[in-house]
């Protein structure tokens, strides 16, 4: 039971601590390293929670009432004004006569706004920010009204809308959603949006700018980043795994090749190099970290995901790029310098992250070593083959079909292992197959994403976390399950029986166990850069201990 | 040095072309990356704003000689200006790009010229003013004449291009290449010094470049 509580992804701990809503909280998790996976004693739990659960969930659209209520009351317990604010957002979102009176704008499922403390609009997912200044003014008014009572507004629940507020330094982020996402999940998305902004500007410089000039128009500095934010929000909606699970997705790859690539990255160093990442289509092939730079502060999966999204951007499609980037979880106030290049004509992308501002040419030399090494390994061909598995929709991102599992009735799943070797905890990962047949259209994907969100919210509910949910939805059946060894979400055909579902899940777990060396990076490589001569030594040592 | 540089040039040219550094400057979304992409890869796609700087190389044949252009495509966005200034240093040539449908980008190009002159000695860098997006000439805000006059007043080269329609793009770069070679052959100290610097850091990289 305590596992359910600890795993609480976007919603850890009590309702009070607003700032530290860090999604991954692996530190809290102990006692990994166990093997036997297939579901043994939990079968009982399955029956139990399953049936108990079935009473409640088949209520598709409105949020689970009990949870919504309890969290509302918890959220609002410190601050009294429960009713008055619930009024005003309705008028602000619905009945206002400004430019966003546009029907289409109002029909969007989810809005995300970023504004400055002074109420200056910075970003809106839909519509033009200029047209929204009135709306944003109302938001600022709300926030400062609650603030004046020495409190902070966190969320407003109004009929089918949820409004979530997140204050980060001089920035205010607001999500307004009609989706089934919980407030904690929406807050997680807002944190990701904030992280994206920090990654281009750093928290310190945002603070400095507004300290200097309160009504500064941050859009000037964020010019060009709006589309990155759009992309981020789209991907969170369509492919929610990374954010929900606080983990990155790996390219399935034979372990010897992955280990060889890891060793290669470890060999190819440059002064000040802190992190090397090989990725394709936003998915991780392998990453190597410098021992000292990132020794104490392990690389946060949210930072790594941010980098993966970033290098996947079309802006990096040509040439070799050199740009400053901040890793908000690692150090929100400092820049790294990133070298990004596509290798060969492949969509394979190499990211070299270093601390030296003028190291472009050293990094470029390092890339050539990596490229040569990859040719020597024949890695390009192997990666090309891996890429050819994927269906056309996901442009050359290596992936696998759910058919590979060999469990009929299984349509899709998200699996995050928790029983991993100790040092592996540094790199939380998950795996999931391509979205296929019934989920090829956007609405379908959205529906599945909503269902995953709903299950996730219930597993990680702060008030009443669950370990197992069997949910019969209109067009599919889902089973979500968290144990000390894994967190799993499965989507099954609607005709599956409960016994059938258990069978499918058992099969899936066996398959994952069998394939885990291919699906996950078991031993993330590390290297040492500073002493140039001893680098090789250290690298080899690392290699051998790694193996 | 000058001798060694000039006389064996025809022989060494194919294997060791002289290296020149060219930077693309201008405000956001005037088409700097598109020009570079069109020239280097003969490709055009609507790309997101450049992040930081992008680096391309291209070997250009000018008559019997050949030279290697190192093209630094900089981000127009303000937030990246600090990092891009790094790459002004040692530049042999600059393309100041503006969008002919946006007057502000033309004014900004003039500002860039000032910045450039602050960082480098005038005359040291070969500068061309480029008015891009002639495919949108019906929305033109800066006339050819205006561009030309400003360029003449500052002794800059001038051309109008369309990266989208591949109009005059390679001409821009080839003109620059030709001018750079001529200057390098003709002139005394300043440009040769630059070329030498570029070559000093060049060989190591080039050697590996050939290996792959």
């Amino acid at each position: 039971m305590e596992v359910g509580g600890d795993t609480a992804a976007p919603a850890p701990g009590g309702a009070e601590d607003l700032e530290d809503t860090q999604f991954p909280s692996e530190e809290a998790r102990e006692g990994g390293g166990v093997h036997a996976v297939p579901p043994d004693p939990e079968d009982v739990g399955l029956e139990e929670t399953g049936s108990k659960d079935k009473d409640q969930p088949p209520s598709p659209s409105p949020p689970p009432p009990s949870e919504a209520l309890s969290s509302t009351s918890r959220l609002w317990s410190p601050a009294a004004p429960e009713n008055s604010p619930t009024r005003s957002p309705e008028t602000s979102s619905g009945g206002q006569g400004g430019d966003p009176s546009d029907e289409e704008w109002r029909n969007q499922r989810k809005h995300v706004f970023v504004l400055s403390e002074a109420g200056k609009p910075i970003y809106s997912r839909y519509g033009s920010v200029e047209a929204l200044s009135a709306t944003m003014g109302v938001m600022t008014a709300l926030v400062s009204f609650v603030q004046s009572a020495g409190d902070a507004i966190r969320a407003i629940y109004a009929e089918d809308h949820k409004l979530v507020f997140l204050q980060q330094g001089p920035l205010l982020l607001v999500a307004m959603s009609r989706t089934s996402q919980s407030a904690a999940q929406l807050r997680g998305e807002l944190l990701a949006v904030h992280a994206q902004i920090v990654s281009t500007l750093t928290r310190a410089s945002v603070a400095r700018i507004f300290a200097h000039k309160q009504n500064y128009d941050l859009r000037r500095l964020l010019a060009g980043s709006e589309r990155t934010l759009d992309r981020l929000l789209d991907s969170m909606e369509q492919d929610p795994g990374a954010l929900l699970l606080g983990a990155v997705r790996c390219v399935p790859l034979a372990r010897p090749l992955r280990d060889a690539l890891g060793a290669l990255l470890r060999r190819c160093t440059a002064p000040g190099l802190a992190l090397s990442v090989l990725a394709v289509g936003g998915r991780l092939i392998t990453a190597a970290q410098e021992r000292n730079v990132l020794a104490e502060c392990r690389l946060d999966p949210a930072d790594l995901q941010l980098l993966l999204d970033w290098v996947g951007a079309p802006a990096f499609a040509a040439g070799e790029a050199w740009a400053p980037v901040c890793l908000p979880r690692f150090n929100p106030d400092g820049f790294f310098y990133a070298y990004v290049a596509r290798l060969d004509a492949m969509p394979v992308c190499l990211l070299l992250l270093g601390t030296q501002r003028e190291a472009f040419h050293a990094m470029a030399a390092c890339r050539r070593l990596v490229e040569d090494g990859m040719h020597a390994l024949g890695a390009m061909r192997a990666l090309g083959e891996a890429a050819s598995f994927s269906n056309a929709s996901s442009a050359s991102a290596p992936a696998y079909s759910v058919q590979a599992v060999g469990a009929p009735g299984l349509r899709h799943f998200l699996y995050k292992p928790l029983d991993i070797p100790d040092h592996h905890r540094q790199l939380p990962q998950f795996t999931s197959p391509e979205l296929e047949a019934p989920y090829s259209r956007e609405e379908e994907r959205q529906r599945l994403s909503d269902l995953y969100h709903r299950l996730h919210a219930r597993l990680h509910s702060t008030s009443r976390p669950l370990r197992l949910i069997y949910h019969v939805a209109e067009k599919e059946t889902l089973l979500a399950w968290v144990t000390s060894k894994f967190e799993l979400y499965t989507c099954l055909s609607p005709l599956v029986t409960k016994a059938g579902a258990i069978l499918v899940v058992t099969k899936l777990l066996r398959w994952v166990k069998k394939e885990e060396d291919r699906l996950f990076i078991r031993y993330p490589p590390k290297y040492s850069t500073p002493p140039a001569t001893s680098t090789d030594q250290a690298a080899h040592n690392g290699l051998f201990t790694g193996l | 040095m000058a001798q060694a540089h000039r006389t064996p040039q025809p022989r060494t040219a194919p294997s060791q072309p002289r290296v020149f550094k060219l930077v693309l400057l201008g405000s956001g979304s005037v088409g700097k990356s598109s020009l570079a992409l069109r020239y280097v890869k003969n490709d055009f796609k609507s790309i997101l704003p450049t992040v930081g700087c992008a680096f391309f190389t291209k070997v250009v044949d000018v008559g019997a000689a050949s030279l290697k252009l190192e093209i630094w495509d900089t981000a127009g966005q303000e937030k990246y200006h600090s990092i891009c200034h790094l790459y002004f240093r040692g530049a042999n040539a600059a393309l100041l790009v503006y969008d002919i449908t946006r007057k502000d980008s033309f004014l900004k190009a003039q500002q860039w010229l000032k910045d450039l002159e602050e960082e480098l000695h005038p005359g040291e860098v070969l500068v061309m003013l480029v008015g891009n997006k002639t495919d949108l000439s019906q929305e033109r805000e800066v006339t050819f004449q205006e561009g030309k006059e400003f360029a003449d007043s500052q002794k800059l080269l001038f051309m109008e291009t369309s990266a989208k329609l591949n109009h005059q793009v390679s001409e821009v770069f080839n003109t620059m290449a030709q001018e750079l070679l001529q200057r390098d052959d003709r002139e005394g100290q300043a440009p040769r010094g630059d070329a030498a610097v570029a070559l000093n850091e060049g060989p190591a990289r080039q050697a590996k470049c050939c290996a792959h």
Side-chain angles (χ1 to χ4, degrees):
Chain A
M1 201 61 194
E2 87 268 13
V3 176
D6 287 345
T7 335
E16 304 251 355
D17 52 332
L18 10 131
E19 303 299 330
D20 298 336
T21 318
Q22 313 228 345
F23 7 111
S25 52
E26 285 73 25
E27 291 89 344
R29 199 171 300 121
E30 283 308 330
V34 203
H35 293 305
V37 172
D40 16 67
E42 269 89 358
D43 281 12
V44 192
L46 176 71
E47 294 297 329
E48 223 176 70
T49 11
S51 53
K52 201 198 297 170
D53 214 74
K54 262 184 81 177
D55 303 341
Q56 299 166 350
S59 51
S61 43
S66 62
E67 191 223 324
L69 270 181
S70 67
S71 40
T72 324
S73 55
R74 286 184 75 161
L75 289 167
W76 283 92
S77 53
E82 249 166 276
N83 283 325
S84 47
T86 4
R87 287 271 92 86
S88 20
E90 274 174 281
T91 45
S92 88
S93 64
Q96 64 163 339
D99 285 273
S101 53
D102 180 38
E103 195 63 23
E104 201 188 317
W105 186 86
R106 281 194 287 159
N107 283 339
Q108 297 293 352
R109 280 161 39 99
K110 182 163 64 188
H111 285 278
V112 173
F113 308 103
V114 182
L115 47 153
S116 75
E117 233 171 353
K120 228 175 182 132
I122 295 169
Y123 170 78
S124 165
R125 190 177 181 197
Y126 302 106
S128 80
V129 270
E130 285 89 356
L132 295 170
S133 25
T135 315
M136 296 212 179
V138 176
M139 293 176 197
T140 337
L142 267 174
V143 169
S144 49
F145 173 75
V146 178
Q147 235 163 24
S148 65
D151 217 323
I153 189 167
R154 284 169 56 94
I156 297 172
Y157 298 79
E159 288 182 38
D160 59 339
H161 280 85
K162 277 191 201 82
L163 276 94
V164 174
F165 295 81
L166 179 73
Q167 174 103 40
Q168 295 280 297
L171 299 182
L172 177 65
L173 296 96
V174 183
M176 192 178 83
S177 153
R178 288 192 289 116
T179 65
S180 56
Q181 284 173 287
S182 69
Q185 288 166 345
L186 290 168
R187 195 166 292 118
E189 294 192 359
L190 291 180
L191 278 168
V193 167
H194 180 252
Q196 181 65 49
I197 293 171
V198 166
S199 78
T200 49
L201 298 177
T202 74
R203 190 182 62 182
S205 82
V206 171
R208 204 178 326 111
I209 287 163
F210 283 108
H212 181 67
K213 197 175 167 209
Q214 233 205 333
N215 64 349
Y216 183 84
D217 188 354
L218 198 65
R219 280 179 299 158
R220 237 178 89 186
L221 282 180
L222 283 177
S225 298
E226 304 89 352
R227 281 152 88 185
T228 318
L229 292 174
D230 292 346
R231 243 167 43 94
L232 174 73
L233 288 165
D234 285 346
S235 79
M236 287 192 301
E237 199 140 285
Q238 301 273 315
D239 189 11
L243 191 65
L244 278 184
L245 298 172
V248 297
R249 198 197 303 249
C250 298
V251 174
L253 203 63
R255 176 160 168 197
L257 180 59
R258 179 146 25 220
D259 286 347
L261 289 172
L264 174 67
L265 287 187
R266 211 161 32 201
R267 263 198 319 275
C268 303
T269 61
L273 189 62
L275 173 71
S276 322
V277 177
L278 270 176
V280 57
R283 292 158 197 212
L284 186 66
I285 297 171
T286 189
Q289 297 177 49
E290 208 280 330
R291 271 171 217 280
N292 296 323
V293 179
L294 296 164
E296 294 113 52
C297 295
R298 67 196 177 80
L299 181 67
D300 192 289
D303 280 345
L304 185 56
Q305 186 60 44
L306 189 140
L307 289 173
L308 289 173
D309 288 342
W310 190 60
V311 301
F316 290 113
E320 300 161 66
W322 182 242
V325 64
C326 166
L327 298 188
R329 295 299 172 86
F330 179 74
N331 174 8
D333 301 326
F335 272 127
F336 278 105
Y337 294 90
Y339 171 92
V340 185
R342 298 279 158 99
L343 301 181
D344 274 0
M346 294 281 297
V348 177
C349 182
L350 175 69
L351 165 78
L352 300 169
L353 204 64
T355 49
Q356 293 183 8
R357 195 182 153 101
E358 314 214 10
F360 174 86
H361 290 295
M363 297 294 192
C366 187
R367 182 209 82 186
R368 280 187 284 272
L369 290 178
V370 171
E371 215 165 30
D372 293 346
M374 285 181 74
H375 281 298
L377 288 170
M380 292 297 185
R381 203 182 49 241
L383 286 170
E385 277 161 20
S388 66
F389 284 142
S390 67
N391 58 27
S393 69
S394 66
S396 67
Y400 56 93
S401 159
V402 71
Q403 309 293 337
V405 179
L410 181 65
R411 289 179 170 185
H412 191 254
F413 64 89
L414 306 171
Y415 178 97
K416 177 186 178 184
L418 305 174
D419 64 326
I420 28 196
D422 189 47
H423 53 296
H424 184 178
R425 240 182 279 158
Q426 297 167 21
L427 190 62
Q429 302 155 50
F430 78 102
T431 190
S432 79
E434 284 303 281
L435 277 166
E436 283 174 84
Y439 305 104
S440 31
R441 282 185 313 150
E442 196 181 323
E443 310 95 271
E444 313 285 330
R445 287 182 182 206
Q446 206 131 56
R447 190 180 71 237
L448 182 61
S449 168
D450 283 353
L451 286 164
Y452 281 151
H453 274 104
R454 173 117 28 101
L455 294 178
H456 176 271
R458 312 205 85 223
L459 284 184
H460 298 291
S461 151
T462 43
S463 47
R464 202 168 61 89
L466 298 171
R467 280 166 61 186
L468 191 65
I469 303 172
Y470 181 77
H471 176 70
V472 182
E474 197 183 340
K475 294 181 176 165
E476 49 265 303
T477 296
L478 291 102
L479 191 148
W481 189 9
V482 58
T483 74
S484 61
K485 295 162 198 154
F486 58 82
E487 181 168 347
L488 172 69
Y489 300 82
T490 53
C491 169
L492 308 153
S493 107
L495 301 174
V496 77
T497 60
K498 206 174 283 176
I502 295 167
L503 210 66
V504 167
V505 169
T506 311
K507 231 175 197 167
L508 170 62
L509 292 173
R510 280 205 193 106
W511 180 80
V512 170
K513 188 77 202 158
K514 195 173 89 211
E515 296 285 320
E516 66 185 354
D517 275 349
R518 205 172 61 82
L519 296 174
F520 304 110
I521 300 173
R522 305 288 288 170
Y523 299 96
K526 293 198 172 178
Y527 52 72
S528 311
T529 43
T533 43
S534 66
T535 301
D536 280 329
Q537 203 65 38
H540 288 309
N541 288 341
L543 175 64
F544 290 130
T545 51
L547 289 169
Chain B
M1 176 86 193
Q3 288 296 334
H5 208 75
R6 227 172 285 169
T7 39
Q9 179 215 318
R11 268 180 288 129
T12 52
S15 59
Q16 284 283 42
R18 278 178 275 174
V19 181
F20 292 96
K21 180 166 163 182
L22 181 147
V23 289
L24 282 150
L25 304 172
S27 8
S29 58
V30 296
K32 297 179 294 299
S33 304
S34 298
L35 285 172
L37 203 61
R38 171 62 81 187
Y39 179 60
V40 178
K41 306 234 153 113
N42 193 19
D43 194 4
F44 182 85
K45 45 190 164 194
S46 65
I47 33 184
L48 284 170
T50 308
V51 177
C53 300
F55 179 73
F56 301 88
T57 53
K58 176 142 175 155
V59 176
V60 194
D61 294 315
V62 180
S66 77
L67 62 95
K68 185 172 165 194
L69 277 184
E70 288 187 353
I71 301 170
W72 284 96
D73 169 27
T74 66
Q77 273 75 38
E78 198 176 320
K79 61 184 174 239
Y80 292 120
H81 283 186
S82 63
I83 191 166
C84 292
H85 276 264
L86 285 174
Y87 296 97
F88 281 16
R89 239 174 282 154
N92 305 97
L95 295 180
L96 288 181
V97 188
Y98 67 92
D99 173 351
I100 61 158
T101 68
R102 280 170 46 207
K103 190 87 181 177
D104 64 303
S105 71
F106 181 58
L107 300 173
K108 199 73 204 286
Q110 305 180 3
Q111 182 59 45
W112 275 106
L113 183 65
K114 287 205 190 88
D115 288 2
L116 197 63
E117 281 168 350
E118 268 165 37
E119 304 241 348
L120 302 158
H121 299 292
E124 194 177 282
V125 190
L126 179 68
V127 183
M128 181 188 278
L129 186 68
V130 180
N132 189 34
K133 308 199 187 176
T134 54
D135 49 293
L136 300 174
S137 59
Q138 68 281 5
E139 298 162 38
R140 186 189 274 276
E141 284 185 9
V142 184
T143 63
F144 182 86
Q145 203 55 36
E146 276 175 275
K148 179 83 178 130
E149 270 165 24
F150 175 72
D152 287 346
S153 72
Q154 303 289 320
K155 300 195 174 59
L156 312 178
L157 299 168
F158 178 67
M159 269 193 194
E160 284 196 345
T161 58
S162 165
K164 189 172 184 177
L165 304 178
N166 197 9
H167 173 66
Q168 296 254 70
V169 176
S170 46
E171 285 81 352
V172 165
F173 287 91
N174 290 340
T175 309
M176 292 302 264
Q178 246 163 23
E179 284 285 326
L180 283 168
L181 274 184
Q182 278 173 13
R183 271 181 164 218
D184 193 45
D185 289 341
R186 182 179 63 221
E187 279 180 21
Q189 297 89 336
R192 193 168 0 107
D194 265 353
V197 169
L199 282 175
N200 282 347
E201 47 183 81
R205 274 176 286 129
Q206 264 167 263
K208 273 174 206 137
C209 215
C210 300
H212 86 114

